[in-house]
PDB file of all heavy atoms in Angstrom:
ATOM      1  N   CYS B 147     201.206  25.789  50.186  1.00 92.00           N
ATOM      2  CA  CYS B 147     201.461  25.523  51.605  1.00 92.00           C
ATOM      3  C   CYS B 147     201.253  24.049  51.929  1.00 92.00           C
ATOM      4  O   CYS B 147     200.307  23.421  51.441  1.00 92.00           O
ATOM      5  CB  CYS B 147     200.536  26.394  52.459  1.00 92.00           C
ATOM      6  SG  CYS B 147     200.724  26.110  54.244  1.00 92.00           S
ATOM      7  N   ARG B 148     202.102  23.521  52.764  1.00 92.00           N
ATOM      8  CA  ARG B 148     201.971  22.116  53.175  1.00 92.00           C
ATOM      9  C   ARG B 148     200.709  21.879  53.987  1.00 92.00           C
ATOM     10  O   ARG B 148     200.280  20.740  54.170  1.00 92.00           O
ATOM     11  CB  ARG B 148     203.193  21.685  54.000  1.00 92.00           C
ATOM     12  CG  ARG B 148     203.445  22.539  55.229  1.00 92.00           C
ATOM     13  CD  ARG B 148     204.696  22.145  55.988  1.00 92.00           C
ATOM     14  NE  ARG B 148     204.470  20.998  56.832  1.00 92.00           N
ATOM     15  CZ  ARG B 148     205.198  20.731  57.919  1.00 92.00           C
ATOM     16  NH1 ARG B 148     206.213  21.523  58.264  1.00 92.00           N
ATOM     17  NH2 ARG B 148     204.942  19.684  58.650  1.00 92.00           N
ATOM     18  N   HIS B 149     200.118  22.959  54.508  1.00 92.00           N
ATOM     19  CA  HIS B 149     198.912  22.836  55.329  1.00 92.00           C
ATOM     20  C   HIS B 149     197.656  23.255  54.555  1.00 92.00           C
ATOM     21  O   HIS B 149     196.623  23.519  55.163  1.00 92.00           O
ATOM     22  CB  HIS B 149     199.039  23.709  56.588  1.00 92.00           C
ATOM     23  CG  HIS B 149     200.312  23.514  57.338  1.00 92.00           C
ATOM     24  ND1 HIS B 149     200.689  22.302  57.850  1.00 92.00           N
ATOM     25  CD2 HIS B 149     201.312  24.404  57.640  1.00 92.00           C
ATOM     26  CE1 HIS B 149     201.871  22.436  58.465  1.00 92.00           C
ATOM     27  NE2 HIS B 149     202.277  23.693  58.340  1.00 92.00           N
ATOM     28  N   ARG B 150     197.733  23.278  53.236  1.00 89.00           N
ATOM     29  CA  ARG B 150     196.614  23.812  52.444  1.00 89.00           C
ATOM     30  C   ARG B 150     195.327  23.014  52.638  1.00 89.00           C
ATOM     31  O   ARG B 150     194.233  23.576  52.508  1.00 89.00           O
ATOM     32  CB  ARG B 150     196.977  23.846  50.962  1.00 89.00           C
ATOM     33  CG  ARG B 150     197.339  22.498  50.350  1.00 89.00           C
ATOM     34  CD  ARG B 150     197.809  22.649  48.896  1.00 89.00           C
ATOM     35  NE  ARG B 150     198.228  21.381  48.322  1.00 89.00           N
ATOM     36  CZ  ARG B 150     199.459  20.872  48.470  1.00 89.00           C
ATOM     37  NH1 ARG B 150     200.369  21.550  49.165  1.00 89.00           N
ATOM     38  NH2 ARG B 150     199.779  19.709  47.918  1.00 89.00           N
ATOM     39  N   ASP B 151     195.436  21.731  52.978  1.00 89.00           N
ATOM     40  CA  ASP B 151     194.216  20.932  53.163  1.00 89.00           C
ATOM     41  C   ASP B 151     193.453  21.369  54.406  1.00 89.00           C
ATOM     42  O   ASP B 151     192.272  21.019  54.569  1.00 89.00           O
ATOM     43  CB  ASP B 151     194.560  19.444  53.275  1.00 89.00           C
ATOM     44  CG  ASP B 151     195.113  18.882  51.962  1.00 89.00           C
ATOM     45  OD1 ASP B 151     194.853  19.515  50.909  1.00 89.00           O
ATOM     46  OD2 ASP B 151     195.789  17.843  51.994  1.00 89.00           O
ATOM     47  N   TRP B 152     194.117  22.115  55.298  1.00 90.00           N
ATOM     48  CA  TRP B 152     193.451  22.547  56.530  1.00 90.00           C
ATOM     49  C   TRP B 152     192.487  23.706  56.294  1.00 90.00           C
ATOM     50  O   TRP B 152     191.657  24.003  57.147  1.00 90.00           O
ATOM     51  CB  TRP B 152     194.496  22.978  57.565  1.00 90.00           C
ATOM     52  CG  TRP B 152     195.258  21.838  58.147  1.00 90.00           C
ATOM     53  CD1 TRP B 152     195.063  20.522  57.924  1.00 90.00           C
ATOM     54  CD2 TRP B 152     196.338  21.942  59.068  1.00 90.00           C
ATOM     55  NE1 TRP B 152     195.959  19.773  58.641  1.00 90.00           N
ATOM     56  CE2 TRP B 152     196.757  20.627  59.363  1.00 90.00           C
ATOM     57  CE3 TRP B 152     197.004  22.996  59.674  1.00 90.00           C
ATOM     58  CZ2 TRP B 152     197.804  20.353  60.236  1.00 90.00           C
ATOM     59  CZ3 TRP B 152     198.040  22.731  60.553  1.00 90.00           C
ATOM     60  CH2 TRP B 152     198.445  21.428  60.826  1.00 90.00           C
ATOM     61  N   LEU B 153     192.628  24.382  55.159  1.00 86.00           N
ATOM     62  CA  LEU B 153     191.781  25.533  54.899  1.00 86.00           C
ATOM     63  C   LEU B 153     190.306  25.169  54.983  1.00 86.00           C
ATOM     64  O   LEU B 153     189.503  25.868  55.602  1.00 86.00           O
ATOM     65  CB  LEU B 153     192.091  26.121  53.514  1.00 86.00           C
ATOM     66  CG  LEU B 153     193.264  27.094  53.428  1.00 86.00           C
ATOM     67  CD1 LEU B 153     193.560  27.411  51.972  1.00 86.00           C
ATOM     68  CD2 LEU B 153     192.938  28.367  54.203  1.00 86.00           C
ATOM     69  N   ALA B 154     189.947  24.060  54.344  1.00 83.00           N
ATOM     70  CA  ALA B 154     188.545  23.642  54.326  1.00 83.00           C
ATOM     71  C   ALA B 154     188.060  23.267  55.717  1.00 83.00           C
ATOM     72  O   ALA B 154     186.868  23.392  56.032  1.00 83.00           O
ATOM     73  CB  ALA B 154     188.358  22.463  53.369  1.00 83.00           C
ATOM     74  N   GLU B 155     188.976  22.804  56.561  1.00 87.00           N
ATOM     75  CA  GLU B 155     188.611  22.387  57.916  1.00 87.00           C
ATOM     76  C   GLU B 155     188.613  23.549  58.902  1.00 87.00           C
ATOM     77  O   GLU B 155     188.173  23.401  60.047  1.00 87.00           O
ATOM     78  CB  GLU B 155     189.588  21.314  58.408  1.00 87.00           C
ATOM     79  CG  GLU B 155     189.681  20.096  57.503  1.00 87.00           C
ATOM     80  CD  GLU B 155     190.827  19.175  57.906  1.00 87.00           C
ATOM     81  OE1 GLU B 155     191.368  19.383  59.015  1.00 87.00           O
ATOM     82  OE2 GLU B 155     191.167  18.272  57.129  1.00 87.00           O
ATOM     83  N   GLY B 156     189.150  24.680  58.491  1.00 89.00           N
ATOM     84  CA  GLY B 156     189.240  25.814  59.395  1.00 89.00           C
ATOM     85  C   GLY B 156     190.389  25.708  60.370  1.00 89.00           C
ATOM     86  O   GLY B 156     190.463  26.455  61.347  1.00 89.00           O
ATOM     87  N   ALA B 157     191.298  24.779  60.125  1.00 91.00           N
ATOM     88  CA  ALA B 157     192.445  24.597  61.022  1.00 91.00           C
ATOM     89  C   ALA B 157     193.507  25.659  60.804  1.00 91.00           C
ATOM     90  O   ALA B 157     194.456  25.774  61.579  1.00 91.00           O
ATOM     91  CB  ALA B 157     193.046  23.200  60.828  1.00 91.00           C
ATOM     92  N   CYS B 158     193.411  26.405  59.716  1.00 91.00           N
ATOM     93  CA  CYS B 158     194.197  27.617  59.517  1.00 91.00           C
ATOM     94  C   CYS B 158     193.287  28.592  58.782  1.00 91.00           C
ATOM     95  O   CYS B 158     192.407  28.173  58.017  1.00 91.00           O
ATOM     96  CB  CYS B 158     195.480  27.348  58.743  1.00 91.00           C
ATOM     97  SG  CYS B 158     195.239  26.790  57.040  1.00 91.00           S
ATOM     98  N   ARG B 159     193.491  29.886  59.023  1.00 92.00           N
ATOM     99  CA  ARG B 159     192.582  30.878  58.446  1.00 92.00           C
ATOM    100  C   ARG B 159     193.381  32.103  58.022  1.00 92.00           C
ATOM    101  O   ARG B 159     193.887  32.833  58.877  1.00 92.00           O
ATOM    102  CB  ARG B 159     191.511  31.289  59.456  1.00 92.00           C
ATOM    103  CG  ARG B 159     190.595  30.162  59.880  1.00 92.00           C
ATOM    104  CD  ARG B 159     189.656  30.605  60.984  1.00 92.00           C
ATOM    105  NE  ARG B 159     188.953  29.475  61.561  1.00 92.00           N
ATOM    106  CZ  ARG B 159     188.232  29.541  62.686  1.00 92.00           C
ATOM    107  NH1 ARG B 159     188.132  30.686  63.334  1.00 92.00           N
ATOM    108  NH2 ARG B 159     187.622  28.472  63.146  1.00 92.00           N
ATOM    109  N   PRO B 160     193.537  32.319  56.732  1.00 92.00           N
ATOM    110  CA  PRO B 160     194.235  33.519  56.262  1.00 92.00           C
ATOM    111  C   PRO B 160     193.617  34.772  56.870  1.00 92.00           C
ATOM    112  O   PRO B 160     192.397  34.923  56.886  1.00 92.00           O
ATOM    113  CB  PRO B 160     194.041  33.468  54.746  1.00 92.00           C
ATOM    114  CG  PRO B 160     193.871  32.001  54.448  1.00 92.00           C
ATOM    115  CD  PRO B 160     193.097  31.458  55.610  1.00 92.00           C
ATOM    116  N   GLY B 161     194.472  35.627  57.407  1.00 91.00           N
ATOM    117  CA  GLY B 161     193.987  36.837  58.056  1.00 91.00           C
ATOM    118  C   GLY B 161     193.693  36.648  59.522  1.00 91.00           C
ATOM    119  O   GLY B 161     193.416  37.612  60.236  1.00 91.00           O
ATOM    120  N   GLN B 162     193.794  35.398  60.016  1.00 93.00           N
ATOM    121  CA  GLN B 162     193.549  35.150  61.439  1.00 93.00           C
ATOM    122  C   GLN B 162     194.606  34.245  62.050  1.00 93.00           C
ATOM    123  O   GLN B 162     195.170  34.558  63.097  1.00 93.00           O
ATOM    124  CB  GLN B 162     192.165  34.535  61.655  1.00 93.00           C
ATOM    125  CG  GLN B 162     191.849  34.330  63.141  1.00 93.00           C
ATOM    126  CD  GLN B 162     190.465  33.758  63.358  1.00 93.00           C
ATOM    127  OE1 GLN B 162     189.765  33.399  62.403  1.00 93.00           O
ATOM    128  NE2 GLN B 162     190.037  33.670  64.602  1.00 93.00           N
ATOM    129  N   ALA B 163     194.872  33.117  61.405  1.00 95.00           N
ATOM    130  CA  ALA B 163     195.853  32.173  61.927  1.00 95.00           C
ATOM    131  C   ALA B 163     196.597  31.548  60.757  1.00 95.00           C
ATOM    132  O   ALA B 163     196.058  30.708  60.042  1.00 95.00           O
ATOM    133  CB  ALA B 163     195.167  31.082  62.753  1.00 95.00           C
ATOM    134  N   CYS B 164     197.857  31.981  60.581  1.00 95.00           N
ATOM    135  CA  CYS B 164     198.635  31.482  59.442  1.00 95.00           C
ATOM    136  C   CYS B 164     200.115  31.550  59.771  1.00 95.00           C
ATOM    137  O   CYS B 164     200.624  32.589  60.200  1.00 95.00           O
ATOM    138  CB  CYS B 164     198.332  32.318  58.201  1.00 95.00           C
ATOM    139  SG  CYS B 164     199.316  31.823  56.762  1.00 95.00           S
ATOM    140  N   VAL B 165     200.819  30.473  59.551  1.00 95.00           N
ATOM    141  CA  VAL B 165     202.240  30.421  59.854  1.00 95.00           C
ATOM    142  C   VAL B 165     203.070  31.241  58.873  1.00 95.00           C
ATOM    143  O   VAL B 165     204.208  31.612  59.165  1.00 95.00           O
ATOM    144  CB  VAL B 165     202.736  28.954  59.879  1.00 95.00           C
ATOM    145  CG1 VAL B 165     202.764  28.369  58.476  1.00 95.00           C
ATOM    146  CG2 VAL B 165     204.086  28.834  60.561  1.00 95.00           C
ATOM    147  N   HIS B 166     202.520  31.545  57.721  1.00 95.00           N
ATOM    148  CA  HIS B 166     203.258  32.309  56.705  1.00 95.00           C
ATOM    149  C   HIS B 166     202.985  33.813  56.764  1.00 95.00           C
ATOM    150  O   HIS B 166     203.601  34.572  56.018  1.00 95.00           O
ATOM    151  CB  HIS B 166     202.910  31.788  55.307  1.00 95.00           C
ATOM    152  CG  HIS B 166     203.267  30.348  55.107  1.00 95.00           C
ATOM    153  ND1 HIS B 166     204.566  29.904  55.134  1.00 95.00           N
ATOM    154  CD2 HIS B 166     202.481  29.252  54.891  1.00 95.00           C
ATOM    155  CE1 HIS B 166     204.579  28.597  54.941  1.00 95.00           C
ATOM    156  NE2 HIS B 166     203.334  28.173  54.789  1.00 95.00           N
ATOM    157  N   ASP B 167     202.074  34.228  57.621  1.00 95.00           N
ATOM    158  CA  ASP B 167     201.731  35.652  57.720  1.00 95.00           C
ATOM    159  C   ASP B 167     202.908  36.425  58.314  1.00 95.00           C
ATOM    160  O   ASP B 167     203.657  35.907  59.148  1.00 95.00           O
ATOM    161  CB  ASP B 167     200.489  35.820  58.607  1.00 95.00           C
ATOM    162  CG  ASP B 167     199.776  37.140  58.359  1.00 95.00           C
ATOM    163  OD1 ASP B 167     200.388  38.203  58.624  1.00 95.00           O
ATOM    164  OD2 ASP B 167     198.619  37.110  57.912  1.00 95.00           O
ATOM    165  N   ARG B 168     203.063  37.672  57.930  1.00 95.00           N
ATOM    166  CA  ARG B 168     204.135  38.496  58.477  1.00 95.00           C
ATOM    167  C   ARG B 168     203.781  39.058  59.854  1.00 95.00           C
ATOM    168  O   ARG B 168     204.648  39.561  60.576  1.00 95.00           O
ATOM    169  CB  ARG B 168     204.442  39.651  57.536  1.00 95.00           C
ATOM    170  CG  ARG B 168     203.282  40.622  57.330  1.00 95.00           C
ATOM    171  CD  ARG B 168     203.651  41.729  56.372  1.00 95.00           C
ATOM    172  NE  ARG B 168     202.530  42.628  56.110  1.00 95.00           N
ATOM    173  CZ  ARG B 168     202.596  43.690  55.317  1.00 95.00           C
ATOM    174  NH1 ARG B 168     203.729  43.963  54.684  1.00 95.00           N
ATOM    175  NH2 ARG B 168     201.548  44.467  55.141  1.00 95.00           N
ATOM    176  N   TYR B 169     202.499  38.981  60.219  1.00 95.00           N
ATOM    177  CA  TYR B 169     202.016  39.536  61.482  1.00 95.00           C
ATOM    178  C   TYR B 169     202.169  38.488  62.580  1.00 95.00           C
ATOM    179  O   TYR B 169     201.592  37.408  62.533  1.00 95.00           O
ATOM    180  CB  TYR B 169     200.555  39.960  61.318  1.00 95.00           C
ATOM    181  CG  TYR B 169     199.972  40.716  62.471  1.00 95.00           C
ATOM    182  CD1 TYR B 169     200.658  41.752  63.096  1.00 95.00           C
ATOM    183  CD2 TYR B 169     198.694  40.410  62.943  1.00 95.00           C
ATOM    184  CE1 TYR B 169     200.104  42.455  64.148  1.00 95.00           C
ATOM    185  CE2 TYR B 169     198.120  41.115  63.989  1.00 95.00           C
ATOM    186  CZ  TYR B 169     198.837  42.134  64.590  1.00 95.00           C
ATOM    187  OH  TYR B 169     198.282  42.829  65.629  1.00 95.00           O
ATOM    188  N   ALA B 170     202.959  38.810  63.605  1.00 95.00           N
ATOM    189  CA  ALA B 170     203.325  37.832  64.633  1.00 95.00           C
ATOM    190  C   ALA B 170     202.117  37.268  65.373  1.00 95.00           C
ATOM    191  O   ALA B 170     202.110  36.090  65.745  1.00 95.00           O
ATOM    192  CB  ALA B 170     204.299  38.465  65.631  1.00 95.00           C
ATOM    193  N   ARG B 171     201.095  38.086  65.581  1.00 96.00           N
ATOM    194  CA  ARG B 171     199.938  37.593  66.328  1.00 96.00           C
ATOM    195  C   ARG B 171     199.223  36.466  65.572  1.00 96.00           C
ATOM    196  O   ARG B 171     198.722  35.521  66.191  1.00 96.00           O
ATOM    197  CB  ARG B 171     198.972  38.748  66.601  1.00 96.00           C
ATOM    198  CG  ARG B 171     197.781  38.346  67.470  1.00 96.00           C
ATOM    199  CD  ARG B 171     196.981  39.554  67.899  1.00 96.00           C
ATOM    200  NE  ARG B 171     197.767  40.423  68.767  1.00 96.00           N
ATOM    201  CZ  ARG B 171     197.301  41.560  69.279  1.00 96.00           C
ATOM    202  NH1 ARG B 171     196.071  41.958  68.997  1.00 96.00           N
ATOM    203  NH2 ARG B 171     198.060  42.306  70.056  1.00 96.00           N
ATOM    204  N   ARG B 172     199.195  36.544  64.261  1.00 96.00           N
ATOM    205  CA  ARG B 172     198.550  35.477  63.481  1.00 96.00           C
ATOM    206  C   ARG B 172     199.407  34.216  63.475  1.00 96.00           C
ATOM    207  O   ARG B 172     198.885  33.098  63.468  1.00 96.00           O
ATOM    208  CB  ARG B 172     198.275  35.964  62.057  1.00 96.00           C
ATOM    209  CG  ARG B 172     197.233  37.076  62.006  1.00 96.00           C
ATOM    210  CD  ARG B 172     197.179  37.737  60.649  1.00 96.00           C
ATOM    211  NE  ARG B 172     196.249  38.874  60.658  1.00 96.00           N
ATOM    212  CZ  ARG B 172     196.294  39.874  59.792  1.00 96.00           C
ATOM    213  NH1 ARG B 172     197.215  39.875  58.831  1.00 96.00           N
ATOM    214  NH2 ARG B 172     195.424  40.863  59.871  1.00 96.00           N
ATOM    215  N   ILE B 173     200.720  34.400  63.466  1.00 97.00           N
ATOM    216  CA  ILE B 173     201.615  33.242  63.570  1.00 97.00           C
ATOM    217  C   ILE B 173     201.426  32.575  64.924  1.00 97.00           C
ATOM    218  O   ILE B 173     201.343  31.351  65.045  1.00 97.00           O
ATOM    219  CB  ILE B 173     203.083  33.678  63.394  1.00 97.00           C
ATOM    220  CG1 ILE B 173     203.298  34.322  62.033  1.00 97.00           C
ATOM    221  CG2 ILE B 173     204.023  32.489  63.574  1.00 97.00           C
ATOM    222  CD1 ILE B 173     204.679  34.945  61.856  1.00 97.00           C
ATOM    223  N   ASP B 174     201.359  33.397  65.966  1.00 97.00           N
ATOM    224  CA  ASP B 174     201.174  32.868  67.322  1.00 97.00           C
ATOM    225  C   ASP B 174     199.867  32.095  67.431  1.00 97.00           C
ATOM    226  O   ASP B 174     199.807  31.010  68.038  1.00 97.00           O
ATOM    227  CB  ASP B 174     201.188  34.025  68.327  1.00 97.00           C
ATOM    228  CG  ASP B 174     201.316  33.535  69.754  1.00 97.00           C
ATOM    229  OD1 ASP B 174     200.351  32.910  70.242  1.00 97.00           O
ATOM    230  OD2 ASP B 174     202.354  33.768  70.382  1.00 97.00           O
ATOM    231  N   ARG B 175     198.827  32.627  66.826  1.00 96.00           N
ATOM    232  CA  ARG B 175     197.531  31.936  66.886  1.00 96.00           C
ATOM    233  C   ARG B 175     197.613  30.585  66.173  1.00 96.00           C
ATOM    234  O   ARG B 175     197.035  29.586  66.629  1.00 96.00           O
ATOM    235  CB  ARG B 175     196.456  32.830  66.253  1.00 96.00           C
ATOM    236  CG  ARG B 175     195.037  32.359  66.539  1.00 96.00           C
ATOM    237  CD  ARG B 175     194.022  33.370  66.027  1.00 96.00           C
ATOM    238  NE  ARG B 175     194.034  34.595  66.827  1.00 96.00           N
ATOM    239  CZ  ARG B 175     194.291  35.801  66.340  1.00 96.00           C
ATOM    240  NH1 ARG B 175     194.566  35.950  65.047  1.00 96.00           N
ATOM    241  NH2 ARG B 175     194.277  36.857  67.122  1.00 96.00           N
ATOM    242  N   PHE B 176     198.348  30.524  65.072  1.00 96.00           N
ATOM    243  CA  PHE B 176     198.513  29.264  64.348  1.00 96.00           C
ATOM    244  C   PHE B 176     199.192  28.227  65.250  1.00 96.00           C
ATOM    245  O   PHE B 176     198.747  27.077  65.351  1.00 96.00           O
ATOM    246  CB  PHE B 176     199.344  29.484  63.092  1.00 96.00           C
ATOM    247  CG  PHE B 176     199.639  28.221  62.324  1.00 96.00           C
ATOM    248  CD1 PHE B 176     198.755  27.736  61.384  1.00 96.00           C
ATOM    249  CD2 PHE B 176     200.819  27.510  62.565  1.00 96.00           C
ATOM    250  CE1 PHE B 176     199.028  26.560  60.689  1.00 96.00           C
ATOM    251  CE2 PHE B 176     201.102  26.340  61.877  1.00 96.00           C
ATOM    252  CZ  PHE B 176     200.199  25.855  60.933  1.00 96.00           C
ATOM    253  N   PHE B 177     200.274  28.630  65.930  1.00 97.00           N
ATOM    254  CA  PHE B 177     200.994  27.675  66.773  1.00 97.00           C
ATOM    255  C   PHE B 177     200.215  27.332  68.050  1.00 97.00           C
ATOM    256  O   PHE B 177     200.396  26.242  68.598  1.00 97.00           O
ATOM    257  CB  PHE B 177     202.386  28.201  67.124  1.00 97.00           C
ATOM    258  CG  PHE B 177     203.360  28.099  65.987  1.00 97.00           C
ATOM    259  CD1 PHE B 177     204.102  29.206  65.596  1.00 97.00           C
ATOM    260  CD2 PHE B 177     203.548  26.914  65.299  1.00 97.00           C
ATOM    261  CE1 PHE B 177     205.012  29.123  64.550  1.00 97.00           C
ATOM    262  CE2 PHE B 177     204.452  26.809  64.253  1.00 97.00           C
ATOM    263  CZ  PHE B 177     205.183  27.922  63.871  1.00 97.00           C
TER     264      PHE B 177
END
Side-chain angles (χ1 to χ4, degrees):
C147 178
R148 57 183 280 204
H149 310 301
R150 59 185 177 275
D151 293 339
W152 288 355
L153 276 172
E155 304 170 12
C158 65
R159 297 174 191 169
Q162 183 178 6
C164 177
V165 71
H166 299 295
D167 201 296
R168 63 181 177 179
Y169 188 45
R171 184 171 295 180
R172 293 168 185 158
I173 300 172
D174 193 292
R175 193 173 290 121
F176 176 86
F177 284 129

